[in-house]
Structures are given as C-alpha cells and as structure tokens.
Amino acid sequence: MNSRLVVYVISDSIGETGEQVVKAAISQFVCKDCEIRRFPYISEEEQILEIINEAKNEKSMIVFTIVIPSLRKILLEKAKEHNIIAVDAMTPIVEALEKSLNEQPKNEPGLIRKLDEKYFKKIEAIEFAVKYDDGKDPRGLKKADIVLIGISRTSKTPLSMYLAHKNIKVANVPLVPEVVVPDELFEISPRKIIGLTTNPIKLNEIRQERLKALGLRNEANYASMDRILKELDYAENLMKRIGCPIIDVSSKAIEESARIILEIIKEND
C-alpha cells in the first residue's frame, strides 16, 4: 500500500469547512506526502459507497461534514467495515449547541452557504444604492428593483440605504423644476417607481435646519415656502404623469416608509 496519506473530505454541502479543518490539522505535522480529496454535495448512499471503495485501497482517512443523519450513519458503518478512520467534524459541535440552546438542529445541508449568499446580496445592494444615489447615473434606473423620486429632503437616500439592507437594489432621482429628469424614468415600469412627498411646513423646518448646519442664512431660496411649494407642485404633477404610487413621508419614520414600500413591492410581485 502506498505510504502517502489520502484524506477524503466528504460533505453534503460544498465541503470547504471540512477541508479547512483538515489543512489546519495537517499543518501541525511534518506531513510531506499528504493529499486532500474533497467530495462535495454528497446526497446518496451510492456516492458514499463509491468513495469508500476507492479509499479502502489506499492509506486513507475520512473527515466529513454531513448533517443528514441517514447518510452519516451509512458512512460511519462502511468506514468501520473497512477499518478506515472516519472523523465527524460537525456532529459534536451540533450536539453541543443542541444541548446549550435546547433546540433541535435543522439537519439541512448548505445553510451556511445560503447565509453567505444573502450577505453578499446585501453588500451588492448597498454598493448599488451608493453608486446610483441622487441621480448620479441614470443607467442605474433600469437595473434597480425600485426607483425613489422626490424633491430634496424627502428621505430618498436614507430609504435607499435602509432598503439595501433588505437586499433591494434602489436608485433615487432628485426632482428639481429646473433640471430635466432622465429619459430612463419614462422607460421603466411605473410599478418600479415610488414617489416621495412631504408636508411643506415640515419640509421648511428641515431645510432651515440644513442651512444652519451648512452655516448659511435662513433667507436662502432653498428654504423659502414659495420655493418649496413650487417644488412640491412640480414633483406631484410629474408623479401623476408617471402614474406611480406616492408616499407622504412627513410624519413617518424611515422604517415605516420602508415598510409601506416593501408592501407595494410585495403586491407588485
């Protein structure tokens, strides 16, 4: 029999966890002739029998991360039958957690990968919201799940970021009477667009506070009631022209406005 040690890493998921554990363990030895063979997505008894049949002819051991009890039982029985050392890298930790949490495990393979995928989708959505914030690039409107439109200080950016954490790709477009809106806004479905409006008195207060923060005088046109009413009227007419839902955000927290938007998305699916 070959003196080389072959470590079979068997998993009902991708098998990366088992392989990393084996590599970490091997690093503690002067193992000049060790080989790791990974067998991911093992879901049938026949696959296990094939691997055992290969392993029995070599100097080998098995490390496995299998959460399906029936497959785990077969693997342990067959490995013992052929005097192959088989190390269960998952069950002792799962059983310890089961006792500590007083909760039954799901015994469903691939859950960590699903969690990772969800995480990366969230990061992608956040990066999207930053890239297509404040009308920076109108090409993003066609790629977005939702497009928020509204005049300045109607919570477009905070809502975009909040929804991004829900894995939703959001672009937003500021509405200014003197600035022509991008053509893309009329080339996408109005069901994807959400109009944001607010109470003019509340908006006046917000804009005055904004001017103070910037060290500017309150008399600036940006915070004047005439200007605000003009902008709101322009935005309302545009939203009606598009035919999109309109949400009044003046008395709503970001979470509440986001909940309404999520309900609209759900209804449109």
Side-chain angles (χ1 to χ4, degrees):
M1 185 179 289
N2 197 319
S3 62
R4 177 184 59 180
L5 174 65
V6 180
V7 182
Y8 289 77
V9 177
I10 304 173
S11 176
D12 48 17
S13 183
I14 196 169
E16 186 176 10
T17 301
E19 184 173 356
Q20 290 303 317
V21 169
V22 171
K23 285 180 177 178
I26 286 177
S27 71
Q28 300 298 315
F29 298 86
V30 183
C31 187
K32 295 181 180 178
D33 200 8
C34 294
E35 179 186 349
I36 299 173
R37 296 179 190 168
R38 186 165 79 179
F39 295 82
Y41 305 116
I42 300 302
S43 59
E44 297 176 4
E45 179 180 348
E46 186 178 341
Q47 292 172 299
I48 290 175
L49 296 178
E50 288 177 0
I51 296 168
I52 294 290
N53 194 48
E54 179 182 328
K56 72 181 183 181
N57 296 317
E58 300 182 276
K59 182 182 179 182
S60 64
M61 65 176 286
I62 294 171
V63 174
F64 63 94
T65 55
I66 292 178
V67 298
I68 301 172
S70 58
L71 289 179
R72 197 163 62 233
K73 183 173 182 290
I74 292 165
L75 194 155
L76 286 168
E77 287 176 353
K78 294 300 178 182
K80 185 178 181 180
E81 186 178 314
H82 294 284
N83 295 315
I84 301 171
I85 295 172
V87 180
D88 186 341
M90 182 74 75
T91 302
I93 300 172
V94 171
E95 288 179 346
L97 285 169
E98 183 179 349
K99 290 178 182 178
S100 299
L101 297 172
N102 194 26
E103 181 181 334
Q104 290 294 314
K106 295 177 180 177
N107 291 329
E108 182 182 339
L111 287 179
I112 190 169
R113 191 175 71 257
K114 291 177 183 177
L115 289 173
D116 286 344
E117 286 173 1
K118 187 176 181 181
Y119 170 77
F120 285 117
K121 282 181 180 178
K122 180 189 293 186
I123 295 301
E124 185 181 355
I126 292 170
E127 290 176 346
F128 187 95
V130 172
K131 184 175 181 179
Y132 298 110
D133 181 45
D134 207 31
K136 288 175 185 173
D137 186 348
R139 291 175 298 182
L141 304 187
K142 293 186 176 181
K143 302 174 186 176
D145 298 319
I146 286 292
V147 176
L148 303 179
I149 61 173
I151 66 174
S152 175
R153 317 313 293 178
T154 50
S155 303
K156 295 186 298 301
T157 297
L159 272 170
S160 295
M161 295 306 298
Y162 186 94
L163 291 167
H165 280 82
K166 302 290 184 182
N167 300 347
I168 297 169
K169 292 181 179 178
V170 186
N172 71 73
V173 179
L175 301 181
V176 182
E178 296 79 13
V179 179
V180 178
V181 295
D183 293 336
E184 287 85 352
L185 199 58
F186 300 99
E187 295 170 359
I188 61 176
S189 170
R191 292 159 65 93
K192 278 179 54 172
I193 303 171
I194 305 289
L196 304 176
T197 190
T198 189
N199 179 279
I201 297 174
K202 182 73 174 176
L203 183 58
N204 177 257
E205 294 173 359
I206 292 171
R207 288 193 175 184
Q208 285 188 6
E209 288 299 318
R210 177 63 174 161
L211 288 176
K212 285 181 185 178
L214 295 173
L216 300 173
R217 298 177 63 183
N218 287 354
E219 292 83 8
N221 188 43
Y222 173 74
S224 74
M225 187 59 73
D226 286 344
R227 174 65 188 183
I228 288 172
L229 291 173
K230 179 181 177 181
E231 289 185 27
L232 286 171
D233 185 57
Y234 164 75
E236 184 179 347
N237 288 332
L238 181 63
M239 292 170 192
K240 287 180 178 178
R241 180 181 162 197
I242 291 171
C244 65
I246 302 173
I247 300 172
D248 186 339
V249 299
S250 54
S251 59
K252 294 181 178 65
I254 295 298
E255 294 82 359
E256 188 178 355
S257 298
R259 180 181 55 77
I260 294 170
I261 292 170
L262 291 170
E263 287 175 358
I264 291 171
I265 293 172
K266 189 176 181 180
E267 288 173 4
N268 288 340
D269 283 344

